[in-house]
Amino acid sequence: MVHVLSSRILIRPTDPERSRAFYGEQLGLAVHREFGTDDERGTVYFLGGGFLELSGRADTPLSPSLRLWLQVEDAAAAHDELRAKGVGIVRPPVQEPWGLVEMWIEDPDGTRIVLVEVPADHPLRYRPGI
């Protein structure tokens, strides 16, 4: 078995400064560390149990099939906060048939981000008898 010590998502944005403004200022992700300088500067953000690293530069956006799934405490509050910060909301919070509350946004390169609230009575959080 592979013993994973840490995990990280690596994104090479088309415009690193614009992406840093989005993830750091608009989403409010806390910075874990930064490295390099100027155009080569990389930023690693905390993502709950993992990290999101923005480094390098891509000529084209990532595949539209990539999605980031971020769990939040309150999707409605996240919606209000992000809308006030000018984040484009692709879809406001909706309770899905499977019980999760999902809201969709996109980063500056169009990477879809799903913000998910797990209700207190959902099986992901509540397991009777345990």
Side-chain angles (χ1 to χ4, degrees), residues 7 33-34 36 42 49 51 57 61-62 65 71 73 79 83 86 99-100:
S7 62
R33 71 182 189 96
E34 293 184 292
F51 300 96
R57 180 183 299 266
L62 295 169
S65 64
Q71 185 176 340
E73 285 186 61
H79 175 267
R83 193 175 76 212
L100 299 175

Side-chain angles (χ1 to χ4, degrees), residues 91 93-102 104 117 119 121-123:
R91 193 187 81 174
V94 171
Q95 178 127 25
E96 300 291 356
W98 47 89
L100 299 175
V101 178
E102 294 186 6
W104 303 344
E117 175 185 338
D121 62 347
H122 192 277

Side-chain angles (χ1 to χ4, degrees), residues 50-114:
F51 300 96
L52 172 69
E53 178 178 328
L54 299 180
S55 64
R57 180 183 299 266
D59 294 327
T60 59
L62 295 169
S63 166
S65 64
L66 174 74
R67 303 280 195 272
L68 296 179
W69 192 93
L70 305 176
Q71 185 176 340
V72 297
E73 285 186 61
D74 183 335
H79 175 267
D80 294 344
E81 180 182 340
L82 294 174
R83 193 175 76 212
K85 291 181 177 181
V87 172
I89 308 296
V90 174
R91 193 187 81 174
V94 171
Q95 178 127 25
E96 300 291 356
W98 47 89
L100 299 175
V101 178
E102 294 186 6
M103 173 180 133
W104 303 344
I105 62 176
E106 288 181 340
D107 80 358
D109 282 333
T111 300
R112 182 70 51 95
I113 301 168
V114 183

Side-chain angles (χ1 to χ4, degrees), residues 14-31:
T14 58
D15 183 336
E17 286 305 317
R18 181 180 68 174
S19 290
R20 271 191 277 282
F22 175 79
Y23 286 102
E25 296 167 23
Q26 291 184 293
L27 280 188
L29 297 181
V31 174

Side-chain angles (χ1 to χ4, degrees), residues 6 8 29-34 43-47 50-52:
S6 179
R8 175 175 312 195
L29 297 181
V31 174
H32 169 63
R33 71 182 189 96
E34 293 184 292
T43 306
V44 180
Y45 297 96
F46 284 105
L47 276 184
F51 300 96
L52 172 69

